[in-house]
Amino acid sequence: MRYRILMAVVLCVIAPQCAKSSQGDDFIRDIQNRVSSADPYKRKTAVWILKRDENIKSYISLKCIPIILPLFSDKDAMVRDAAYADIEFFFLEPPKTYYEKGAKIVHGYKIFNPKRLEVNDDYRNAVKIILPVLLEGLKDNDEQIIYQSISALGSIGSLAEKSVPMLLSLLNNKDNHTRKESVIALANIGERTDAVINGIKKMLNDED
């Protein structure tokens, strides 16, 4: 009788964990299938799904970055743009949502010093994988990809310090949006060298 009770307790503990593990495996397989799909729209949805609040909070989005890496060099511009545009949100706490007098109100992301996920091993590993991609994005011919890469580096924070020299050079970019986003990224990365401080001061006199 005691043995049966003990086994029942063990099953109650193990069964939910096994189910959760199975669901996680199924989820990852679904993302893999979307990334390898011949349909560009389906490839794009891989990023959309990972951007959902519950996937970001559970760090599953960060864990799936190795799977979605091909999307950053996708032959379809729509897919590539979606990957660069949304990767920054993988590192940030989702905005708070609440209801007031029946209306849904969402607090947006802060421009300066955004609230990031806790920097744990998953966070650090994700940065190691995505950082080279974003650094390449800074050299892209598409101004939009450059802008999105800058924004993502700022969202990552201090672990993106390797990007500082390139961001400083982008303060001289012809595009005013790129220059302004570079200032924000430098501030959010938080490196306080003379080069960074002088570069930001110089931008105060930017006519645009």
Side-chain angles (χ1 to χ4, degrees), residues 187-204:
N188 286 334
I189 290 171
E191 192 166 297
R192 297 292 184 263
T193 62
D194 288 342
V196 171
I197 294 171
N198 291 334
I200 292 176
K201 282 182 177 178
K202 181 181 175 182
M203 283 297 296
L204 294 175

PDB file of all heavy atoms in Angstrom, residues 187-204:
ATOM      1  N   ALA A 187      24.347  54.920 -25.190  1.00  0.00           N
ATOM      2  CA  ALA A 187      23.899  55.225 -23.824  1.00  0.00           C
ATOM      3  C   ALA A 187      23.409  53.956 -23.122  1.00  0.00           C
ATOM      4  O   ALA A 187      23.690  53.740 -21.934  1.00  0.00           O
ATOM      5  CB  ALA A 187      22.788  56.265 -23.869  1.00  0.00           C
ATOM      6  N   ASN A 188      22.691  53.098 -23.839  1.00  0.00           N
ATOM      7  CA  ASN A 188      22.135  51.886 -23.239  1.00  0.00           C
ATOM      8  C   ASN A 188      23.193  50.807 -23.005  1.00  0.00           C
ATOM      9  O   ASN A 188      23.051  49.985 -22.097  1.00  0.00           O
ATOM     10  CB  ASN A 188      21.008  51.338 -24.107  1.00  0.00           C
ATOM     11  CG  ASN A 188      19.750  52.180 -24.003  1.00  0.00           C
ATOM     12  OD1 ASN A 188      19.522  52.842 -22.989  1.00  0.00           O
ATOM     13  ND2 ASN A 188      18.927  52.173 -25.043  1.00  0.00           N
ATOM     14  N   ILE A 189      24.238  50.796 -23.817  1.00  0.00           N
ATOM     15  CA  ILE A 189      25.338  49.859 -23.580  1.00  0.00           C
ATOM     16  C   ILE A 189      26.115  50.287 -22.344  1.00  0.00           C
ATOM     17  O   ILE A 189      26.592  49.464 -21.567  1.00  0.00           O
ATOM     18  CB  ILE A 189      26.253  49.769 -24.825  1.00  0.00           C
ATOM     19  CG1 ILE A 189      25.499  49.054 -25.956  1.00  0.00           C
ATOM     20  CG2 ILE A 189      27.554  49.038 -24.509  1.00  0.00           C
ATOM     21  CD1 ILE A 189      26.197  49.095 -27.299  1.00  0.00           C
ATOM     22  N   GLY A 190      26.225  51.599 -22.167  1.00  0.00           N
ATOM     23  CA  GLY A 190      26.715  52.116 -20.899  1.00  0.00           C
ATOM     24  C   GLY A 190      28.204  52.282 -20.749  1.00  0.00           C
ATOM     25  O   GLY A 190      28.690  52.546 -19.640  1.00  0.00           O
ATOM     26  N   GLU A 191      28.967  52.149 -21.821  1.00  0.00           N
ATOM     27  CA  GLU A 191      30.411  52.349 -21.709  1.00  0.00           C
ATOM     28  C   GLU A 191      30.699  53.846 -21.585  1.00  0.00           C
ATOM     29  O   GLU A 191      30.213  54.643 -22.383  1.00  0.00           O
ATOM     30  CB  GLU A 191      31.116  51.756 -22.932  1.00  0.00           C
ATOM     31  CG  GLU A 191      32.618  51.659 -22.768  1.00  0.00           C
ATOM     32  CD  GLU A 191      33.266  50.779 -23.814  1.00  0.00           C
ATOM     33  OE1 GLU A 191      32.963  49.570 -23.839  1.00  0.00           O
ATOM     34  OE2 GLU A 191      34.054  51.307 -24.612  1.00  0.00           O
ATOM     35  N   ARG A 192      31.510  54.222 -20.597  1.00  0.00           N
ATOM     36  CA  ARG A 192      31.733  55.645 -20.306  1.00  0.00           C
ATOM     37  C   ARG A 192      33.172  56.071 -20.620  1.00  0.00           C
ATOM     38  O   ARG A 192      33.833  56.702 -19.801  1.00  0.00           O
ATOM     39  CB  ARG A 192      31.416  55.924 -18.824  1.00  0.00           C
ATOM     40  CG  ARG A 192      29.963  55.670 -18.451  1.00  0.00           C
ATOM     41  CD  ARG A 192      29.026  56.674 -19.105  1.00  0.00           C
ATOM     42  NE  ARG A 192      27.650  56.502 -18.693  1.00  0.00           N
ATOM     43  CZ  ARG A 192      26.739  55.835 -19.369  1.00  0.00           C
ATOM     44  NH1 ARG A 192      27.079  55.254 -20.514  1.00  0.00           N
ATOM     45  NH2 ARG A 192      25.506  55.724 -18.934  1.00  0.00           N
ATOM     46  N   THR A 193      33.656  55.731 -21.793  1.00  0.00           N
ATOM     47  CA  THR A 193      35.003  56.150 -22.189  1.00  0.00           C
ATOM     48  C   THR A 193      34.947  57.579 -22.716  1.00  0.00           C
ATOM     49  O   THR A 193      33.875  58.103 -23.053  1.00  0.00           O
ATOM     50  CB  THR A 193      35.557  55.225 -23.287  1.00  0.00           C
ATOM     51  OG1 THR A 193      34.722  55.329 -24.448  1.00  0.00           O
ATOM     52  CG2 THR A 193      35.600  53.782 -22.818  1.00  0.00           C
ATOM     53  N   ASP A 194      36.117  58.205 -22.821  1.00  0.00           N
ATOM     54  CA  ASP A 194      36.179  59.571 -23.355  1.00  0.00           C
ATOM     55  C   ASP A 194      35.643  59.618 -24.785  1.00  0.00           C
ATOM     56  O   ASP A 194      34.965  60.584 -25.175  1.00  0.00           O
ATOM     57  CB  ASP A 194      37.631  60.074 -23.341  1.00  0.00           C
ATOM     58  CG  ASP A 194      38.127  60.364 -21.931  1.00  0.00           C
ATOM     59  OD1 ASP A 194      37.277  60.502 -21.032  1.00  0.00           O
ATOM     60  OD2 ASP A 194      39.347  60.442 -21.741  1.00  0.00           O
ATOM     61  N   ALA A 195      35.947  58.572 -25.556  1.00  0.00           N
ATOM     62  CA  ALA A 195      35.495  58.538 -26.950  1.00  0.00           C
ATOM     63  C   ALA A 195      33.972  58.551 -27.038  1.00  0.00           C
ATOM     64  O   ALA A 195      33.385  59.252 -27.872  1.00  0.00           O
ATOM     65  CB  ALA A 195      36.045  57.300 -27.651  1.00  0.00           C
ATOM     66  N   VAL A 196      33.328  57.778 -26.160  1.00  0.00           N
ATOM     67  CA  VAL A 196      31.859  57.721 -26.155  1.00  0.00           C
ATOM     68  C   VAL A 196      31.282  59.056 -25.707  1.00  0.00           C
ATOM     69  O   VAL A 196      30.359  59.599 -26.341  1.00  0.00           O
ATOM     70  CB  VAL A 196      31.362  56.582 -25.237  1.00  0.00           C
ATOM     71  CG1 VAL A 196      29.851  56.667 -25.051  1.00  0.00           C
ATOM     72  CG2 VAL A 196      31.746  55.222 -25.816  1.00  0.00           C
ATOM     73  N   ILE A 197      31.790  59.588 -24.624  1.00  0.00           N
ATOM     74  CA  ILE A 197      31.283  60.866 -24.089  1.00  0.00           C
ATOM     75  C   ILE A 197      31.455  61.992 -25.103  1.00  0.00           C
ATOM     76  O   ILE A 197      30.538  62.778 -25.353  1.00  0.00           O
ATOM     77  CB  ILE A 197      31.980  61.204 -22.762  1.00  0.00           C
ATOM     78  CG1 ILE A 197      31.585  60.183 -21.702  1.00  0.00           C
ATOM     79  CG2 ILE A 197      31.613  62.614 -22.306  1.00  0.00           C
ATOM     80  CD1 ILE A 197      32.382  60.284 -20.419  1.00  0.00           C
ATOM     81  N   ASN A 198      32.637  62.057 -25.723  1.00  0.00           N
ATOM     82  CA  ASN A 198      32.886  63.102 -26.720  1.00  0.00           C
ATOM     83  C   ASN A 198      32.008  62.927 -27.953  1.00  0.00           C
ATOM     84  O   ASN A 198      31.539  63.907 -28.543  1.00  0.00           O
ATOM     85  CB  ASN A 198      34.362  63.105 -27.121  1.00  0.00           C
ATOM     86  CG  ASN A 198      35.260  63.575 -25.994  1.00  0.00           C
ATOM     87  OD1 ASN A 198      34.825  64.319 -25.115  1.00  0.00           O
ATOM     88  ND2 ASN A 198      36.504  63.130 -26.000  1.00  0.00           N
ATOM     89  N   GLY A 199      31.796  61.668 -28.335  1.00  0.00           N
ATOM     90  CA  GLY A 199      30.946  61.398 -29.490  1.00  0.00           C
ATOM     91  C   GLY A 199      29.515  61.834 -29.262  1.00  0.00           C
ATOM     92  O   GLY A 199      28.870  62.423 -30.143  1.00  0.00           O
ATOM     93  N   ILE A 200      29.002  61.565 -28.061  1.00  0.00           N
ATOM     94  CA  ILE A 200      27.632  61.965 -27.728  1.00  0.00           C
ATOM     95  C   ILE A 200      27.527  63.487 -27.611  1.00  0.00           C
ATOM     96  O   ILE A 200      26.544  64.091 -28.059  1.00  0.00           O
ATOM     97  CB  ILE A 200      27.180  61.275 -26.424  1.00  0.00           C
ATOM     98  CG1 ILE A 200      27.049  59.754 -26.670  1.00  0.00           C
ATOM     99  CG2 ILE A 200      25.861  61.850 -25.931  1.00  0.00           C
ATOM    100  CD1 ILE A 200      26.706  58.958 -25.432  1.00  0.00           C
ATOM    101  N   LYS A 201      28.544  64.108 -27.024  1.00  0.00           N
ATOM    102  CA  LYS A 201      28.543  65.575 -26.921  1.00  0.00           C
ATOM    103  C   LYS A 201      28.507  66.218 -28.313  1.00  0.00           C
ATOM    104  O   LYS A 201      27.808  67.214 -28.540  1.00  0.00           O
ATOM    105  CB  LYS A 201      29.793  66.039 -26.173  1.00  0.00           C
ATOM    106  CG  LYS A 201      29.716  65.876 -24.665  1.00  0.00           C
ATOM    107  CD  LYS A 201      30.985  66.412 -24.007  1.00  0.00           C
ATOM    108  CE  LYS A 201      30.895  66.318 -22.498  1.00  0.00           C
ATOM    109  NZ  LYS A 201      32.153  66.792 -21.853  1.00  0.00           N
ATOM    110  N   LYS A 202      29.259  65.630 -29.222  1.00  0.00           N
ATOM    111  CA  LYS A 202      29.300  66.152 -30.589  1.00  0.00           C
ATOM    112  C   LYS A 202      27.917  66.118 -31.233  1.00  0.00           C
ATOM    113  O   LYS A 202      27.538  67.005 -31.987  1.00  0.00           O
ATOM    114  CB  LYS A 202      30.287  65.325 -31.411  1.00  0.00           C
ATOM    115  CG  LYS A 202      30.443  65.795 -32.852  1.00  0.00           C
ATOM    116  CD  LYS A 202      31.420  64.886 -33.605  1.00  0.00           C
ATOM    117  CE  LYS A 202      31.483  65.278 -35.084  1.00  0.00           C
ATOM    118  NZ  LYS A 202      32.391  64.368 -35.829  1.00  0.00           N
ATOM    119  N   MET A 203      27.149  65.083 -30.879  1.00  0.00           N
ATOM    120  CA  MET A 203      25.808  64.935 -31.455  1.00  0.00           C
ATOM    121  C   MET A 203      24.839  65.995 -30.950  1.00  0.00           C
ATOM    122  O   MET A 203      23.792  66.218 -31.548  1.00  0.00           O
ATOM    123  CB  MET A 203      25.266  63.538 -31.155  1.00  0.00           C
ATOM    124  CG  MET A 203      25.845  62.435 -32.042  1.00  0.00           C
ATOM    125  SD  MET A 203      25.432  62.681 -33.773  1.00  0.00           S
ATOM    126  CE  MET A 203      23.659  62.519 -33.743  1.00  0.00           C
ATOM    127  N   LEU A 204      25.170  66.641 -29.849  1.00  0.00           N
ATOM    128  CA  LEU A 204      24.293  67.687 -29.317  1.00  0.00           C
ATOM    129  C   LEU A 204      24.194  68.863 -30.280  1.00  0.00           C
ATOM    130  O   LEU A 204      23.239  69.629 -30.263  1.00  0.00           O
ATOM    131  CB  LEU A 204      24.816  68.186 -27.964  1.00  0.00           C
ATOM    132  CG  LEU A 204      24.772  67.162 -26.812  1.00  0.00           C
ATOM    133  CD1 LEU A 204      25.421  67.748 -25.562  1.00  0.00           C
ATOM    134  CD2 LEU A 204      23.334  66.747 -26.513  1.00  0.00           C
TER     135      LEU A 204
END
